[in-house]
C-alpha cells in the first residue's frame, strides 16, 4: 500500500483560524434560549495531527470584559464559563485557540448574543378575533388584529415577543418583523409553546406607531383523524400573545402588550386558511395601511380575550402552556423553482410541472379584472394525464386568489399563501386571465432553515438521484416537526419514521436543534401516558395508546443517534428520563418468557409482500420486531446510563437486556442459525441490534439472509423496520455483493425502481406507481415519505466510507468499500469539528482514496482491500491500494446455464432481460419471475416460448460477455 499526505505546508506557513463560532443550536439569530448557552467553535488549519490544547474566551458585558480559560481539546458544546445572560441583556463573546503546533489563532469575530426570553410572567393577554357567536364564525377563522401606541424620544432597543395558538405574522408600521413563516410552529400545545424573540428597533419611530398581526388557525384548529372521522383536537379558534418591550437611552422601559383594547376583523382579505384545505385570499378586501398609525379602524371590533379555559369539544385543549424561546431553526422560504413545463391535460386543464416534488406554495404575479378568482390545485403526480388527487384523501390542497383589479393602470398583483403549505410537483391553474406566462408563477420551497452538512456523489447517476430524493424527502418533511408526509390529510410526527431516518437526517443537515425541540414534545406526551410513547408526536390521534415497537423506540434511538452524531451529552442527559420511562413501560408488557409478544404491532410496516389494504401484514412476525426492539431500547438505555455515570441503572438495564437476548435467541433462532420468521427483516434485526453475538451463529444468520436476498431475485423484501438495516447486515457478515445487488436493482420493489419512474423524492410504498404507470390502489400512497431513504446513511458510511467512530465525529471511521458497478464515489460531511471527506476512484487495478480529517480529530482508516487498519491525525491524505473487488470475470454462461447462474451474474441477467424486453415486455416480465421460482431450470427451458431468432440473439450476447469484467450497472432503467 502506498500512503501519501497531501500537500502539507511548511510549519512556518501554517496559520490556524476560528472558522465558525456558535452558541447552542441556533446560529441564525443573536437571541439565545438558554441563559448559559454552550459554545462551539471550528478551527481551520493546514497543520497535520493538529489538536487544541487550550482556548481563551472573552466576554464583553456592559462595557466590562471578562475572561476564561478552557484547558484541553474540547471545542463542541463547551459549557458557558461566565455568569448567566439576563433576559434581554446583550453580550459579545470571542474565542482564540492554541494548538499542539505551538500556534494561537487570532481572536474570532465577536459573537453577539442576547437573552431571548421574557423576564417574569407575560403581561400580554391572549387575544383572538372578534367573535359575536360561535355560529357566526367557521372553525379556524383567519383575520387581522391591530393596535396603535406611542414611542417616546431616545429609543435604544425594541424587542418583540409573540406566540400563538395557531400561526401568525406581525407587522410594525407596514413592514413584516422578520422573514419567518408559520410561526410559532407546532408543538405539544397543551404542555409547551414556542415564542419568537425579534429585534424590531429599526421598524419603530418616535411618535405614533402601529402593530398588526395576521392570524390563522394552522395546526391548532386543524381536524385530525382518518376515514372522514377527523375532529378538532386543540381548539376551534386561534389566538395570539404579543408583547413589545421598549428600552430608552435614559433607562426607562415601556411595554406594549396585547389585550382587549386591540381591535380585529374577520372581514379582511384572508378569507379562509387551513393546513390541509389551503388558503383563499380576496384582494378586493385589502385595507391599505392597516398596520400603519392613523388607520381608521372604526369598523373593526374589539379583540376577544382568550380566557385560557379548555374547550370541552376539543380533547387536547388546555389552558395556555408556558411559552419558551424556540430552539429549532425557524421555517423560512429556502428556495424558488421556476416552471419547467406547461402541460395541457386531456380534459383541457392547464397544469404546471416544476420538475421536482417539493413542499411549499406558489407565488403568482397577475393582472386582470376585479373579482376574477384564480384557483391553484396541487398534486405530486399525474395519472392519465390529469392531477392525481386520490392520494391526497381529504386534503383539498387548493389555494385561490381573487383579484383586486382596478383597470389597466392598476399594475401587477403579487400573492403567495401565508399560512398553508402543500406537497406537490404539479399545479393546476384555473381561470387565469389571458395567456399564462410560466414566468409569472414560482414554486417557493419552505422548511426549517437548517444548515446543509452532508453530500454524496458517485459514478452512477441513478444512485445520485436516489440520494437526492432522500435529501428532498427530508427537506419536505422537516417543517415544524419531522412528519411522515407533507401532502395528504396527515402530515403528522410519526415516531417510527424519524426513528429509522435519524442517522441520515443527522448527516444531511445540522438537525440537532430541530430534533432536540421535537424530543421535548415526545417526553411531554410520554409523561401523560405512564411512559408509553404515542405513535405520533404531538399526539393528536387518540389511538394505539399501548406501546408500539419501532415507533415508541424513538425515545431511546433518536437521543442516542444525536449523541453519536453531534456529541451532545447534555441532550442525552435531558432525554435520559424519557429513555428509562420507555424502557420501563416495555418491561411492564413482557410476557412470562421475558419477551414482548401478543400485542398489537405495526411490525415491518409496508413490507412489499403486504396487500395494499393491509400494510402491516409483513413476512416478519410482529412479535420478533417487538422483542428485538425491546432488547434494543434496554441496551441503549444501559449505554446511556454508562455514559452519564448512572452506574446502578447501567447494571439494571444491562442485565435486563441480557435476559431478553437469551430469551430471543431461545425463542426465535435455531442452533443452526435459522429464524422462526425466515424473512429478511428478522435476520437483519438479530444481526444489527447485536442480539446474536456468537461469531458462528452470526455468520450463519448472515449467510441465510444473503440466500434469502438471492432467492428474492435481489429485490427488496423488507418494510420500514428492515429496510434501514439490511444493507448493513449483509455488509458486516461478508455479503457486500448481495448488498450491492439490492442497492443497484431497478426492478420493483427496489430503491431504484422509483427512480426509473421519474421519482424526485422517496415514496411511501415501493410501488406507489405501478409498472403500468397507474397509482397504487392502496389507501396510503404518498410520494414524499423519507423513511425508506434511510439507505443513504449506508451509502455515506460504507459505499463512500465515512462514519463516526466517537461521539460527534471526534474520531472518524474511514472505510470505503467500493462497489463493483461504480468507478468512483465520495462523500463529505460538516462535522462539529469541521469538514471531513472521503473519496475513491478506480484506476486500472488500483483504488485511489483521498480523505480529509478535520483539525482536532483523528480517524481510524480501513483501506478498501481490508489489508490494513491504522489511525491518523488531522490532515489531508491519499492512499493507493489494490482493487479488492475489480469486477471478477463472468462465469461461462450460456443458454444451457441454469437460471440461478444467470441471476447470480448481473451482466448476464441484464443482457438476457433487456434482449427479451426489447421484443416482448410481457415475456421479459415472466422471465424475471422465473429466475426467482425456477432457479435450477436451464435458460433454454425458461425461454421455451421465445422465438428462435431472439434466443440466438441472447446466446450471442452471453458468449460475448464470457470472460469480460462486470464493471457495468446490472440493469438499465426502462423507458416509460
Amino acid at each position: 500500500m502506498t500512503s501519501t499526505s497531501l500537500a502539507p505546508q511548511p510549519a512556518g506557513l501554517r496559520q490556524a483560524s476560528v472558522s465558525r463560532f456558535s452558541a447552542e443550536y441556533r446560529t441564525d439569530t443573536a437571541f439565545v434560549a438558554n441563559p448559559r448557552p454552550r459554545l462551539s467553535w471550528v478551527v481551520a488549519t493546514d497543520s497535520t495531527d493538529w489538536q487544541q490544547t487550550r482556548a481563551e474566551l472573552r466576554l464583553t458585558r456592559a462595557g466590562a470584559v471578562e475572561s476564561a480559560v478552557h484547558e484541553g481539546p474540547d471545542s463542541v458544546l463547551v459549557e458557558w464559563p461566565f455568569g448567566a445572560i439576563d433576559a434581554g441583556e446583550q453580550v459579545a463573546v470571542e474565542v482564540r485557540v492554541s494548538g499542539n503546533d505551538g500556534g494561537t489563532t487570532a481572536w474570532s469575530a465577536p459573537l453577539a448574543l442576547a437573552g431571548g426570553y421574557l423576564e417574569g410572567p407575560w403581561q400580554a393577554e391572549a387575544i383572538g378575533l372578534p367573535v359575536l357567536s360561535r355560529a357566526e364564525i367557521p372553525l379556524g377563522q383567519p383575520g387581522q388584529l391591530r393596535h396603535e401606541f406611542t414611542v417616546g424620544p431616545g429609543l435604544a432597543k425594541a424587542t418583540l415577543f409573540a406566540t400563538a395558538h395557531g400561526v401568525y405574522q406581525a407587522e410594525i408600521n407596514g413592514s413584516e418583523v422578520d422573514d419567518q413563516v408559520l410561526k410559532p410552529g407546532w408543538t405539544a400545545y397543551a404542555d409547551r409553546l414556542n415564542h419568537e424573540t425579534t429585534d424590531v428597533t429599526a421598524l419603530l419611530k418616535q411618535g405614533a406607531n402601529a402593530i398588526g398581526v395576521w392570524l390563522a388557525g394552522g395546526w391548532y384548529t386543524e381536524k385530525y383523524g382518518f376515514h372522514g372521522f377527523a375532529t378538532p383536537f386543540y381548539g376551534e379558534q386561534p389566538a395570539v400573545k404579543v408583547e413589545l418591550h421598549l428600552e430608552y437611552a435614559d433607562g426607562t422601559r415601556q411595554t406594549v402588550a396585547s389585550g382587549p383594547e386591540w381591535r380585529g376583523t374577520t372581514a379582511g382579505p384572508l378569507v379562509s386558511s387551513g393546513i390541509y384545505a389551503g388558503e383563499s385570499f380576496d384582494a378586493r378586501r385589502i385595507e391599505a395601511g392597516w398596520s400603519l398609525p392613523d388607520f381608521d379602524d372604526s369598523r373593526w371590533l374589539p379583540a376577544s380575550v382568550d380566557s385560557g379555559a379548555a374547550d370541552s369539544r376539543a380533547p387536547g385543549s388546555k389552558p395556555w402552556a408556558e411559552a419558551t424561546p424556540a430552539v429549532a431553526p425557524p421555517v423560512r422560504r429556502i428556495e424558488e423553482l421556476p416552471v419547467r413545463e406547461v402541460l395541457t391535460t386531456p380534459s383541457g386543464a392547464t397544469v404546471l410541472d416544476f420538475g421536482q416534488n417539493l413542499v411549499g406554495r406558489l407565488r403568482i404575479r397577475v393582472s386582470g379584472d376585479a373579482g376574477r378568482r384564480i384557483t391553484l390545485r396541487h398534486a405530486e403526480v399525474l395519472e392519465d394525464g390529469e392531477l392525481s388527487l386520490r392520494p391526497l384523501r381529504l386534503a383539498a390542497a387548493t389555494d385561490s386568489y381573487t383579484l383586486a383589479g382596478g383597470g389597466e393602470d392598476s399594475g401587477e398583483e403579487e400573492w403567495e399563501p401565508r399560512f398553508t403549505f402543500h406537497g406537490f410537483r404539479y399545479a393546476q391553474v384555473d381561470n387565469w386571465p389571458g395567456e399564462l406566462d410560466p414566468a409569472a408563477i414560482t414554486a417557493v420551497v419552505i422548511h426549517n432553515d437548517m444548515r446543509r452538512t452532508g453530500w454524496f456523489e458517485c459514478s452512477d447517476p441513478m444512485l445520485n438521484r436516489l440520494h437526492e430524493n432522500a435529501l428532498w424527502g427530508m427537506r419536505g418533511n422537516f417543517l415544524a416537526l419531522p412528519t411522515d408526509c407533507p401532502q395528504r390529510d396527515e402530515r403528522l410526527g410519526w415516531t417510527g419514521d424519524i426513528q429509522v431516518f435519524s442517522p441520515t437526517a443527522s448527516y444531511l443537515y445540522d438537525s440537532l436543534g430541530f430534533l432536540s425541540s421535537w424530543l421535548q414534545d415526545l417526553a411531554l406526551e410520554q409523561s401523560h401516558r405512564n411512559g408509553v410513547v404515542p405513535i405520533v408526536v404531538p399526539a393528536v390521534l387518540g389511538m394505539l395508546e399501548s406501546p408500539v415497537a419501532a415507533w415508541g423506540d424513538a425515545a431511546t434511538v433518536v437521543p442516542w443517534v444525536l449523541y453519536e452524531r453531534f456529541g451532545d451529552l447534555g441532550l442525552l442527559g435531558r432525554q435520559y428520563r424519557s429513555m428509562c420511562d420507555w424502557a420501563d413501560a416495555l418491561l411492564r408488557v413482557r410476557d412470562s418468557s421475558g419477551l414482548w409478544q401478543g400485542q398489537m404491532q405495526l411490525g415491518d410496516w409496508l413490507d412489499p409482500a403486504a396487500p395494499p389494504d393491509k400494510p402491516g401484514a409483513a413476512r416478519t412476525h410482529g412479535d420478533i420486531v417487538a422483542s428485538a426492539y425491546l432488547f434494543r431500547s434496554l441496551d441503549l438505555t444501559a449505554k446511556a446510563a454508562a455514559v452519564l455515570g448512572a452506574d446502578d441503572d447501567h447494571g439494571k438495564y444491562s442485565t435486563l437486556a441480557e435476559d431478553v437476548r437469551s430469551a430471543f435467541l431461545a425463542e426465535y433462532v435455531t442452533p443452526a442459525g435459522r429464524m422462526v420468521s425466515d424473512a429478511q427483516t428478522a435476520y437483519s434485526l438479530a444481526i444489527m441490534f447485536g442480539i446474536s453475538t456468537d461469531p458462528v451463529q452470526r455468520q450463519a444468520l448472515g449467510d441465510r439472509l444473503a440466500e434469502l436476498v438471492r432467492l428474492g431475485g435481489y429485490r427488496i423484501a423488507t418494510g420500514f423496520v428492515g429496510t434501514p438495516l439490511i444493507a448493513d447486515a449483509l455488509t458486516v457478515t461478508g455479503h457486500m455483493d448481495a448488498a450491492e445487488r439490492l442497492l443497484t436493482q431497478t426492478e420493483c420493489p427496489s430503491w431504484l425502481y422509483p427512480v426509473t419512474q421519474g421519482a424526485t423524492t422517496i415514496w411511501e410504498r415501493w410501488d406507489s406507481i405501478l409498472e403500468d404507470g397507474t397509482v397504487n390502489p392502496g389507501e396510503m400512497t404518498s410520494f414524499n415519505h423519507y423513511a425508506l431513504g434511510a439507505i443513504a446513511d449506508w451509502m455515506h458510511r460504507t459505499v463512500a466510507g465515512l462514519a463516526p467512530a466517537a461521539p460527534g465525529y471526534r474520531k472518524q471511521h474511514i472505510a470505503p468499500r467500493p462497489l463493483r458497478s461504480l468507478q468512483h464515489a465520495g462523500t463529505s460531511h460538516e462535522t462539529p469539528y469541521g469538514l471531513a471527506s472521503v473519496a475513491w476512484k478506480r484506476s486500472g487495478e488500483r483504488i485511489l482514496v483521498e480523505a480529509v480529517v478535520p483539525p482536532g480529530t483523528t480517524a481510524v482508516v480501513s483501506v478498501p482491500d481490508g489489508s490494513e487498519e491504522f489511525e491518523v491525525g488531522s490532515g489531508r491524505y491519499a492512499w493507493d491500494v489494490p482493487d479488492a473487488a475489480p469486477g471478477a470475470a463472468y462465469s461461462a454462461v450460456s443458454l444451457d446455464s441454469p437460471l440461478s447462474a444467470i441471476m447470480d451474474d448481473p451482466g448476464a441477467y441484464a443482457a438476457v432481460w433487456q434482449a427479451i424486453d426489447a421484443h416482448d415486455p410481457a415475456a421479459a416480465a415472466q422471465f424475471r419471475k422465473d429466475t426467482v421460482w425456477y432457479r435450477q431450470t436451464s435458460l433454454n427451458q425458461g425461454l421455451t416460448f421465445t422465438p428462435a431468432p431472439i434466443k440466438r440473439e441472447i446466446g450471442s450476447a452471453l458468449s460475448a460477455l464470457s470472460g469480460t469484467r462486470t464493471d457495468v450497472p446490472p440493469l438499465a432503467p426502462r423507458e416509460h
Side-chain angles (χ1 to χ4, degrees):
M1 180 185 70
T2 303
S3 176
T4 310
S5 178
L6 291 182
Q9 295 189 15
L13 298 179
R14 296 168 183 161
Q15 180 60 51
S17 61
V18 176
S19 60
R20 190 170 74 239
F21 189 25
S22 60
E24 282 293 341
Y25 304 138
R26 293 184 66 169
T27 58
D28 63 295
T29 175
F31 290 108
V32 292
N34 184 343
R36 305 181 67 89
R38 294 172 298 174
L39 300 171
S40 301
W41 53 89
V42 173
V43 172
T45 177
D46 292 320
S47 292
T48 56
D49 299 322
W50 187 92
Q51 290 287 332
Q52 174 183 297
T53 57
R54 74 198 301 259
E56 299 171 77
L57 294 154
R58 187 167 66 187
L59 179 76
T60 303
R61 186 199 308 254
V65 177
E66 306 172 40
S67 297
V69 175
H70 173 72
E71 299 287 355
D74 294 340
S75 60
V76 174
L77 298 172
V78 173
E79 294 297 327
W80 181 257
F82 307 108
I85 303 174
D86 293 334
E89 182 184 19
Q90 294 177 302
V91 302
V93 61
E94 303 162 88
V95 64
R96 67 179 178 186
V97 182
S98 299
N100 58 355
D101 59 356
T104 298
T105 70
W107 286 103
S108 68
L111 179 64
L113 304 174
Y117 30 85
L118 283 167
E119 184 175 13
W122 284 74
Q123 298 179 45
E125 294 184 80
I127 60 171
L129 301 168
V131 179
L132 298 179
S133 71
R134 288 186 182 274
E136 295 180 9
I137 188 166
L139 179 72
Q141 172 65 48
Q144 296 155 276
L145 296 161
R146 72 179 307 275
H147 180 66
E148 294 190 19
F149 58 97
T150 301
V151 173
L155 180 67
K157 185 176 71 169
T159 307
L160 180 70
F161 301 89
T163 189
H165 279 172
V167 285
Y168 77 95
Q169 177 57 296
E171 296 183 8
I172 293 180
N173 294 334
S175 297
E176 292 190 356
V177 299
D178 57 29
D179 61 354
Q180 300 178 28
V181 297
L182 293 167
K183 299 183 298 186
W186 186 9
T187 55
Y189 292 126
D191 296 296
R192 187 172 78 98
L193 281 172
N194 285 335
H195 74 69
E196 290 297 331
T197 308
T198 311
D199 185 343
V200 295
T201 311
L203 299 181
L204 296 172
K205 57 186 176 64
Q206 184 175 333
N209 292 260
I211 183 168
V213 175
W214 294 94
L215 182 63
W219 295 280
Y220 185 78
T221 61
E222 195 56 77
K223 294 181 178 180
Y224 300 103
F226 300 116
H227 310 297
F229 296 105
T231 57
F233 183 81
Y234 294 113
E236 295 188 350
Q237 298 302 333
V240 66
K241 287 184 180 181
V242 179
E243 197 163 308
L244 178 61
H245 289 205
L246 309 178
E247 300 178 33
Y248 293 91
D250 62 3
T252 59
R253 298 190 176 194
Q254 176 186 355
T255 299
V256 178
S258 54
E261 69 279 10
W262 287 46
R263 300 181 71 81
T265 182
T266 59
L270 193 53
V271 179
S272 64
S273 179
I275 296 295
Y276 301 144
E279 199 157 287
S280 179
F281 191 93
D282 188 341
R284 296 172 300 176
R285 296 165 61 172
I286 293 174
E287 295 192 67
W290 72 278
S291 63
L292 292 172
D294 301 323
F295 171 77
D296 180 8
D297 61 8
S298 59
R299 288 169 294 123
W300 291 30
L301 301 173
S304 63
V305 176
D306 188 323
S307 65
D311 186 337
S312 61
R313 287 167 292 184
S317 176
K318 292 182 180 179
W320 284 67
E322 179 184 359
T324 55
V327 297
V331 178
R332 286 195 173 100
R333 301 169 180 86
I334 303 297
E335 185 177 352
E336 297 184 2
L337 297 182
V339 174
R340 176 174 291 185
E341 187 177 4
V342 179
L343 308 171
T344 300
T345 74
S347 68
T350 299
V351 169
L352 308 179
D353 177 7
F354 291 91
Q356 171 64 54
N357 196 14
L358 60 95
V359 173
R361 56 271 187 114
L362 300 180
R363 181 186 301 129
I364 65 173
R365 293 165 294 279
V366 61
S367 300
D369 295 335
R372 177 181 283 266
R373 187 170 185 259
I374 300 167
T375 60
L376 311 169
R377 191 151 203 193
H378 307 76
E380 294 184 295
V381 295
L382 301 178
E383 189 169 18
D384 298 325
E386 305 284 351
L387 289 188
S388 181
L389 300 175
R390 178 177 57 83
L392 300 178
R393 300 193 301 218
L394 297 180
T398 300
D399 300 327
S400 69
Y401 178 76
T402 301
L403 277 72
E408 295 182 0
D409 298 329
S410 62
E412 192 174 63
E413 301 176 34
E414 183 174 293
W415 177 72
E416 173 190 331
R418 186 181 292 273
F419 295 128
T420 193
F421 62 92
H422 311 289
F424 67 100
R425 172 175 172 169
Y426 302 93
Q428 180 171 312
V429 181
D430 294 324
N431 204 31
W432 188 268
E435 183 177 353
L436 174 63
D437 178 1
I441 301 183
T442 301
V444 181
V445 178
I446 64 172
H447 58 76
N448 283 75
D449 192 6
M450 302 168 293
R451 182 169 55 93
R452 175 82 181 269
T453 56
W455 297 264
F456 173 88
E457 185 275 335
C458 71
S459 57
D460 186 344
M462 296 184 75
L463 291 182
N464 291 338
R465 182 68 249 186
L466 172 65
H467 188 269
E468 192 74 1
N469 290 358
L471 178 81
W472 275 95
M474 177 179 174
R475 295 181 70 182
N477 284 290
F478 272 50
L479 197 165
L481 52 93
T483 54
D484 60 323
C485 61
Q487 73 297 96
R488 66 187 181 215
D489 58 343
E490 194 166 350
R491 314 184 198 185
L492 304 176
W494 285 90
T495 49
D497 297 54
I498 191 58
Q499 185 265 130
V500 299
F501 192 75
S502 54
T504 305
S506 299
Y507 193 94
L508 295 176
Y509 281 92
D510 181 356
S511 52
L512 179 59
F514 179 90
L515 291 176
S516 172
S517 176
W518 179 76
L519 282 172
Q520 291 182 52
D521 292 321
L522 181 147
L524 288 166
E525 297 283 21
Q526 178 189 16
S527 69
H528 302 302
R529 295 166 174 82
N530 198 23
V532 174
V533 176
I535 54 174
V536 298
V537 172
V540 293
L541 292 183
M543 56 185 288
L544 300 182
E545 292 292 329
S546 59
V548 177
W551 273 254
D553 295 281
T556 55
V557 174
V558 177
W560 186 257
V561 167
L562 296 180
Y563 171 64
E564 283 187 321
R565 299 304 178 97
F566 296 100
D568 192 343
L569 187 62
L571 181 145
L572 188 68
R574 190 196 74 201
Q575 294 298 128
Y576 177 66
R577 188 68 261 154
S578 167
M579 298 175 75
C580 293
D581 288 348
W582 171 249
D584 293 343
L586 299 189
L587 294 173
R588 291 193 295 271
V589 298
R590 290 188 303 170
D591 64 13
S592 59
S593 71
L595 296 173
W596 187 2
Q597 300 182 119
Q599 307 279 322
M600 200 295 299
Q601 299 290 349
L602 297 177
D604 194 24
W605 190 252
L606 287 173
D607 178 326
D613 59 339
K614 296 181 179 179
R619 281 166 278 208
T620 298
H621 198 283
D623 286 353
I624 291 181
V625 173
S627 294
Y629 269 98
L630 171 61
F631 172 82
R632 174 74 165 153
S633 279
L634 290 171
D635 185 50
L636 289 181
T637 304
K639 289 178 178 177
V643 169
L644 296 168
D647 295 339
D648 290 345
D649 283 352
H650 172 65
K652 167 188 170 182
Y653 291 112
S654 294
T655 300
L656 289 165
E658 288 304 314
D659 291 344
V660 174
R661 183 203 307 276
S662 298
F664 186 100
L665 295 174
E667 186 80 12
Y668 302 129
V669 185
T670 72
R674 287 289 187 97
M675 296 197 67
V676 172
S677 278
D678 193 30
Q680 295 175 30
T681 291
Y683 289 94
S684 299
L685 287 165
I687 293 167
M688 292 314 300
F689 285 2
I691 298 173
S692 175
T693 56
D694 175 78
V696 175
Q697 183 188 67
R698 184 177 171 86
Q699 189 60 51
L701 292 169
D703 293 346
R704 179 57 182 168
L705 173 62
E707 181 61 14
L708 289 174
V709 170
R710 180 175 181 261
L711 291 172
Y714 300 100
R715 303 179 187 97
I716 289 290
T718 51
F720 272 32
V721 170
T723 298
L725 303 174
I726 189 168
D728 275 306
L730 290 166
T731 302
V732 300
T733 54
H735 300 287
M736 187 71 182
D737 285 349
E740 177 177 1
R741 291 290 299 275
L742 268 181
L743 178 68
T744 56
Q745 174 68 267
T746 59
E747 297 176 28
C748 187
S750 68
W751 280 293
L752 292 185
Y753 168 74
V755 176
T756 71
Q757 296 285 335
T760 61
T761 41
I762 300 295
W763 294 351
E764 179 177 23
R765 295 178 180 269
W766 299 107
D767 58 350
S768 287
I769 291 180
L770 305 180
E771 292 187 85
D772 63 5
T774 60
V775 174
N776 190 296
E779 186 264 341
M780 298 186 318
T781 306
S782 157
F783 295 90
N784 194 349
H785 234 84
Y786 57 58
L788 299 178
I791 186 62
D793 192 56
W794 182 77
M795 295 165 70
H796 303 147
R797 292 182 289 100
T798 303
V799 177
L802 178 61
Y809 291 84
R810 185 71 164 271
K811 178 183 289 187
Q812 297 113 58
H813 192 213
I814 295 175
R817 295 295 178 258
L819 303 185
R820 294 177 187 269
S821 58
L822 298 183
Q823 292 303 304
H824 62 81
T827 189
S828 57
H829 176 58
E830 189 71 40
T831 78
Y833 296 89
L835 188 69
S837 66
V838 181
W840 60 264
K841 65 179 179 180
R842 285 194 158 90
S843 179
E845 299 295 322
R846 312 287 293 179
I847 295 284
L848 306 179
V849 181
E850 295 185 351
V852 175
V853 180
T857 71
T858 60
V860 175
V861 181
S862 174
V863 293
D865 65 358
S867 63
E868 193 173 348
E869 186 169 290
F870 51 91
E871 189 165 338
V872 299
S874 65
R876 298 173 60 85
Y877 298 92
W879 300 282
D880 181 345
V881 298
D883 190 346
Y890 283 112
S891 55
V893 287
S894 69
L895 290 174
D896 294 321
S897 299
L899 288 175
S900 58
I902 301 296
M903 172 60 78
D904 292 341
D905 192 325
Y909 177 73
V912 174
W913 187 91
Q914 291 179 82
I916 303 172
D917 190 59
H919 300 276
D920 189 344
Q926 186 61 47
F927 166 76
R928 288 152 54 197
K929 294 178 182 178
D930 289 347
T931 53
V932 177
W933 297 109
Y934 304 103
R935 300 185 61 75
Q936 299 311 311
T937 304
S938 75
L939 178 58
N940 247 325
Q941 291 172 293
L943 299 177
T944 300
F945 301 104
T946 302
I950 301 176
K951 289 177 68 173
R952 286 195 296 271
E953 181 181 326
I954 293 169
S956 298
L958 294 177
S959 297
L961 286 173
S962 293
T964 62
R965 290 165 55 85
T966 58
D967 54 359
V968 294
L971 191 64
R974 294 183 65 189
E975 294 293 333
H976 291 276

